[in-house]
Amino acid sequence: MDLSAINPLVLIASLMVAATPILLAAIGELVVEKSGVLNLGVEGMMITGAICGFAIAVESSSPWLGLLAAAGGGALLALVFGVLTQFFLSNQVATGLALTLFGLGLSALLGQGYAGIKPPPSPRLDVPFLADLPVLGRVLFQHDYMVYISILIVACVWAVLKYTRAGLILRAVGESHDAAHALGYKVVRIRLMAIAFGGACAGLGGAYLSLIRVPQWTEGMTAGAGWIALAIVVFASWRPWGVLLGAYLFGGVTVLQLNLQAAGLELPVEYLSMAPYLITILVLVIMSADRGRAALNAPAALGKIFHASS
Amino acid sequence: MTSLLTIEGLTKAYPGVVANDDVTFAIAPGEVHALLGENGAGKSTLVKMIYGLVRPDAGQMTLHRQPFSPSKPSEARARGVAMVFQHFSLFEALSVAENVALGMEDPPPQRQLARRIRDVSEAYGLPLDPDRLVGDLSAGERQRVEIIRCLLQDPKLLIMDEPTSVLTPQEVEVLFKTLRTLAAEGTAILYISHKLDEIRTLCDGATVLRLGRVVGSCNPREKSASELAEMMVGSALKPPARDGAEPGEIVLDVTGLSVKSANPFGTSLKNIHFTVRAGEVLGIGGVAGNGQDELLAALSGEARAVPEAVKFQGRPVGHLGPNERRVLGILSAPEERLGHAAAPDMSLTENALLTGAIREGLTRGGFLRWDAAEDFARRIVKEFDVRTPGVSNVARALSGGNLQKFVIGREVLQRPDVLVVNQPTWGVDASAAAAIRQALLDLAARGTAVICISQDLDELMEISDRFAALNGGRLTARRPAKGLTVEEIGMMMGGAHDMEPPAQTAPEVRHVEA
């Protein structure tokens, strides 16, 4: 085995790419859960976003239109969930699971005829000046646009939740929908907006896979990324920067195990493939070990059905 | 006298029930007006219509001689109507300032708001720290948050829905002082309560509702409490009667009981000592959130402690779970009717099975004996006058008072040696409450040790032989309930743990006279 074949700088650069789809999906789900809704359909929304984005990008030869379509597709699918759970008061867990299955099937149907095609290349952003820095420039500042956009979304979500009235209302709705309703806030409308935002983010995450990271379309290509995103939200105790950390950790271990495989580590491949999931869960469990504090951050009305019965 | 708010012919019907039927009254500026009525009389629906949460089916309101028909709370707030809710509309995980901001139309920036909260809260004698998490506040402090949220909007009409149900007598005093100041400044206050003494000391006028209709209006100062009660209930109530039986042996002995709360906002129990004798009713008072739920859990077996902390007839039982304690004869009925004492979507028969299975022999070899369970449920319904079409009805379908009679009756009929109840008459109308209290007294007269945890002081004074108060997870010394003054009780609830009379140095001997 030849460990010197692994370049730590390349590793860091590629972990940011590997983590971006999960980061996007997880930050969207964080907003949804902060509003008190548990949407387990992240995987379905991701894969739907992946094919919507891919198809539109191929047809229009514009990666930007593709990404827009991915966000739209994800949000649309999420709104199906929203209508079912918010208006028809269906069970959120069951509806979310159904959404995942539906999304996987729908994407396979839409994706017929798109397998094996190459999408238009996505533009890269070499951050001016910073990209020319020695070492750091190559690692941090020579990526595609979406890597930066995803970090920007995390920063925005954090700032909105912490400093704005809109964020306060969102948290309040997730904390106690009855109290929010009594004060006259439109619980259902606020939750639908959060659900749509979560779907759009998940769709973007999926499209990042099919348009930039892989880049091509294969059935079921999200391969459980949506579930990892869900787990990361919980273990990050619903903190935006915790989500970033969790996603990058998972991305890092994924990239590392691929590198170790390539370097010929004497360990069955199955163990290595398992490693990212195990290590991410382990680290996040340790981080959130202080249950009292973690429970404080959890939205108290998470997953509860709201019905205005005044 | 010109009225601030007039209500004419307001009617609201829900499927199967008319909540408000042709309600008419008026409030003048600076008047403290009481809305009196039993649970289910339609008080809450009426104020929800004034606050814009519910649209009336018919009738009209005028505010300042302008037509007033708010379609949402923000419209009502914009017209100067503010409301303090019965069940606090607060968010535990958010700070005081954030909670206040959520109740305002366009709040100033957080820092400025924090300063205004401090100013206003001090001006009205309700000190409050804007940065604290609401989850860490006591019930009285939480209510201050609600009141200050209203005051910051400079209301013309302040609606208060049962504001004193969770306060200590001292806190009630402070509240009344604030309300009188407000009224003197010209704010009208619509005060909802079924506590007659409070209404008689505070209010200038009263409108009495029964079954959705106005059955009378009066000046409460000119009426006696029993006259008001008769207007409210429609007939005279008789207070529970008791036999002065001598208490017997010590049945339950709690020493050094400490239990950590399972709830991050809960109160852990700290070193609790008390004993209860057969045939004695121990009343445990205290403001909500001082360890009542935890004490019930520790006594019922939901929360485990070290074996020696709880002794039943001399036998350590602190480590036993609820079912093992039921076998021995320690039964309990928790506060939350739906979801804790009873499974909301299960039938009364099934609910009777859930706690009665062991002592009533409702199972055989792991199989359910449905007919026996049904008989048991029917017996509860019959003996405790539970109004329900049948025992196959789900618990959720019963009214609060009827379900509470069922829950208490279910335990009483199992002939417990120790019965622990938490808030046995909370949110229950006066006649059901009287029946439940009588049942507890009858049970004690038959030799059961009854521990009644409650926030209703009148209730505790009515049924207890001895009284103790929970404060911050600690229990004060027990004192004979007879002769305790409101001030003494208030001090006990406020945490004056050293307020023991000299007689307590020989505690178990003195008791008999109580």
Side-chain angles (χ1 to χ4, degrees):
Chain A
M1 165 176 133
D2 183 14
L3 280 179
S4 63
I6 301 175
N7 181 343
L9 298 179
V10 176
L11 196 77
I12 296 176
S14 50
L15 88 78
M16 289 174 73
V17 175
T20 299
I22 297 166
L23 177 60
L24 282 166
I27 197 70
E29 178 67 11
L30 180 132
V31 171
V32 178
E33 292 191 12
K34 269 290 180 192
S35 81
V37 178
L38 182 64
N39 184 354
L40 293 181
V42 183
E43 179 84 4
M45 301 185 299
M46 272 185 96
I47 192 100
T48 304
I51 185 57
C52 287
F54 191 85
I56 298 297
V58 167
E59 301 302 335
S60 67
S61 339
S62 158
W64 289 114
L65 273 182
L67 288 169
L68 207 65
L76 216 60
L77 193 63
L79 282 176
V80 172
F81 170 87
V83 168
L84 286 175
T85 56
Q86 301 306 304
F87 290 118
F88 298 110
L89 308 181
S90 69
N91 179 291
Q92 293 181 4
V93 170
T95 312
L97 291 174
L99 196 70
T100 289
L101 296 175
F102 176 64
L104 287 170
L106 180 70
S107 64
L109 180 71
L110 293 175
Q112 280 177 351
Y114 286 101
I117 300 179
K118 243 187 119 48
S122 306
R124 281 159 48 104
L125 174 67
D126 293 347
V127 183
F129 310 116
L130 292 177
D132 301 331
L133 286 174
V135 188
L136 274 186
R138 234 186 87 200
V139 175
L140 296 178
F141 300 109
Q142 293 187 12
H143 289 293
D144 52 273
Y145 276 95
M146 282 312 288
V147 169
Y148 307 113
I149 291 178
S150 67
I151 298 173
L152 198 69
I153 292 178
V154 173
C156 286
V157 166
W158 169 75
V160 166
L161 284 179
K162 194 168 161 85
Y163 294 114
T164 70
R165 180 159 172 82
L168 178 61
I169 293 172
L170 184 88
R171 283 187 288 145
V173 167
E175 190 57 38
S176 164
H177 43 222
D178 293 324
H181 175 73
L183 289 175
Y185 292 107
K186 302 280 177 223
V187 173
V188 169
R189 191 185 303 167
I190 291 162
R191 286 191 168 162
L192 281 178
M193 289 196 285
I195 290 169
F197 176 80
C201 284
L204 276 181
Y208 186 85
L209 277 175
S210 63
L211 286 178
I212 300 170
R213 176 140 189 251
V214 175
Q216 61 176 344
W217 165 252
T218 41
E219 248 185 76
M221 67 183 302
T222 44
W227 298 110
I228 288 292
L230 272 167
I232 284 176
V233 174
V234 177
F235 288 120
S237 308
W238 294 270
R239 285 184 300 245
W241 296 113
V243 164
L244 183 86
L245 186 77
Y248 277 17
L249 185 79
F250 179 79
V253 186
T254 308
V255 171
L256 182 69
Q257 68 94 3
L258 287 174
N259 276 303
L260 286 173
Q261 278 186 36
L265 182 70
E266 301 262 334
L267 202 66
V269 177
E270 288 77 10
Y271 286 111
L272 284 173
S273 317
M274 227 188 271
Y277 302 89
L278 285 180
I279 292 176
T280 306
I281 289 175
L282 204 71
V283 169
L284 292 171
V285 165
I286 294 168
M287 270 173 46
S288 56
D290 187 355
R291 293 311 312 173
R293 263 201 61 85
L296 272 184
N297 247 318
L302 184 61
K304 289 188 187 145
I305 290 178
F306 169 69
H307 178 59
S309 61
S310 38
Chain B
M1 185 163 75
T2 55
S3 329
L4 174 77
L5 174 78
T6 59
I7 290 176
E8 266 172 74
L10 224 50
T11 301
K12 174 79 195 175
Y14 289 113
V17 56
V18 181
N20 280 143
D21 189 3
D22 196 18
V23 174
T24 300
F25 67 92
I27 307 172
E31 181 188 353
V32 184
H33 193 94
L35 200 53
L36 256 169
E38 289 209 280
N39 286 353
K43 294 170 295 181
S44 291
T45 308
L46 182 58
V47 294
K48 276 179 181 165
M49 288 194 279
I50 301 174
Y51 194 56
L53 278 166
V54 173
R55 299 295 307 255
D57 296 337
Q60 55 249 308
M61 297 183 274
T62 54
L63 187 73
H64 287 303
R65 274 163 286 165
Q66 307 276 322
F68 177 62
S69 61
S71 61
K72 51 182 193 240
S74 58
E75 256 172 57
R77 287 199 290 259
R79 296 281 297 272
V81 177
M83 176 156 168
V84 174
F85 291 88
Q86 176 181 12
H87 301 287
F88 300 143
S89 59
L90 294 176
F91 307 92
E92 295 204 335
L94 304 182
S95 75
V96 169
E98 285 175 327
N99 268 288
V100 171
L102 279 167
M104 296 176 74
E105 282 320 299
D106 51 329
Q110 286 286 313
R111 195 166 312 157
Q112 216 177 316
L113 181 63
R115 201 168 52 235
R116 278 189 59 196
I117 291 173
R118 272 209 189 86
D119 292 347
V120 172
S121 65
E122 261 148 47
Y124 284 98
L126 306 165
L128 203 56
D129 177 358
D131 297 322
R132 282 181 68 192
L133 275 190
V134 165
D136 296 333
L137 300 181
S138 73
E141 288 173 307
R142 286 180 197 208
Q143 188 178 51
R144 285 181 200 169
V145 180
E146 292 244 16
I147 295 174
I148 287 182
R149 179 154 78 185
C150 293
L151 295 187
L152 281 177
Q153 302 174 77
D154 204 11
K156 302 285 167 288
L157 173 68
L158 180 63
I159 304 170
M160 304 209 72
D161 195 354
E162 307 239 351
T164 58
S165 52
V166 293
L167 303 185
T168 62
Q170 278 83 353
E171 283 173 325
V172 171
E173 277 298 304
V174 175
L175 174 70
F176 281 11
K177 224 157 95 193
T178 310
L179 292 182
R180 286 195 190 103
T181 317
L182 275 171
E185 288 170 4
T187 309
I189 295 167
L190 183 57
Y191 188 90
I192 300 169
S193 180
H194 55 234
K195 295 195 178 165
L196 304 167
D197 291 334
E198 282 177 2
I199 285 173
R200 291 181 59 235
T201 53
L202 183 71
C203 300
D204 311 314
T207 298
V208 185
L209 286 181
R210 196 194 314 147
L211 300 173
R213 291 167 172 277
V214 176
V215 292
S217 56
C218 60
N219 182 345
R221 280 165 222 225
E222 293 163 359
K223 300 270 177 190
S224 72
S226 58
E227 280 174 309
L228 288 174
E230 265 188 61
M231 287 176 81
M232 207 164 89
V233 183
S235 62
L237 280 175
K238 65 175 204 302
R242 61 187 315 175
D243 306 330
E246 297 272 304
E249 293 290 299
I250 291 179
V251 190
L252 196 72
D253 183 358
V254 175
T255 31
L257 175 69
S258 300
V259 176
K260 202 169 156 21
S261 175
N263 173 350
F265 293 120
T267 309
S268 298
L269 299 179
K270 299 174 193 90
N271 196 18
I272 285 181
H273 293 266
F274 67 86
T275 57
V276 204
R277 291 165 178 273
E280 176 186 43
V281 180
L282 171 64
I284 296 184
V287 178
N290 272 296
Q292 283 91 340
D293 295 344
E294 288 77 7
L295 181 61
L296 181 109
L299 294 177
S300 72
E302 281 171 66
R304 315 284 173 92
V306 289
E308 271 71 30
V310 184
K311 283 207 199 95
F312 173 68
Q313 294 172 342
R315 186 181 150 184
V317 296
H319 58 295
L320 297 181
N323 282 340
E324 291 153 302
R325 293 195 200 190
R326 284 185 175 279
V327 174
L328 294 173
I330 308 176
L331 273 55
S332 58
E335 169 180 6
E336 181 62 45
R337 286 187 282 273
L338 284 174
H340 196 175
D345 292 313
M346 291 177 111
S347 70
L348 293 184
T349 308
E350 286 168 310
N351 272 299
L353 249 168
L354 284 175
T355 79
I358 299 170
R359 286 179 77 80
E360 294 295 308
L362 302 181
T363 60
R364 190 191 294 129
F367 286 92
L368 306 177
R369 292 176 53 206
W370 280 111
D371 43 346
E374 233 166 79
D375 285 346
F376 180 48
R378 282 211 190 88
R379 224 169 79 221
I380 303 168
V381 168
K382 184 158 165 283
E383 291 195 21
F384 284 84
D385 187 28
V386 180
R387 311 245 166 95
T388 169
V391 289
S392 54
N393 266 41
V394 295
R396 191 191 290 286
L398 268 64
S399 76
N402 277 311
L403 184 57
Q404 189 67 25
K405 282 195 273 188
F406 181 83
V407 165
I408 299 284
R410 180 179 66 180
E411 308 306 325
V412 167
L413 285 189
Q414 292 179 50
R415 301 169 312 279
D417 291 309
V418 176
L419 179 64
V420 191
V421 292
N422 189 5
Q423 295 274 69
T425 60
W426 185 79
V428 166
D429 61 64
S431 46
I436 288 169
R437 286 173 199 153
Q438 187 62 57
L440 292 177
L441 286 175
D442 292 347
L443 189 68
R446 290 198 297 269
T448 300
V450 177
I451 300 170
C452 178
I453 307 170
S454 177
Q455 285 150 38
D456 185 341
L457 289 178
D458 297 333
E459 164 173 282
L460 290 176
M461 287 309 106
E462 204 171 285
I463 65 171
S464 317
D465 297 306
R466 286 199 283 175
F467 175 84
L470 270 171
N471 182 280
R474 292 174 203 279
L475 191 70
T476 61
R478 288 151 304 138
R479 300 188 51 184
K482 213 180 217 169
L484 269 184
T485 64
V486 174
E487 285 71 33
E488 285 172 315
I489 294 170
M491 302 239 323
M492 288 172 81
M493 287 168 68
H497 292 277
D498 47 15
M499 232 199 59
E500 292 162 38
Q504 283 289 328
T505 46
E508 301 307 334
V509 188
R510 293 273 307 181
H511 166 67
V512 181
E513 69 185 30

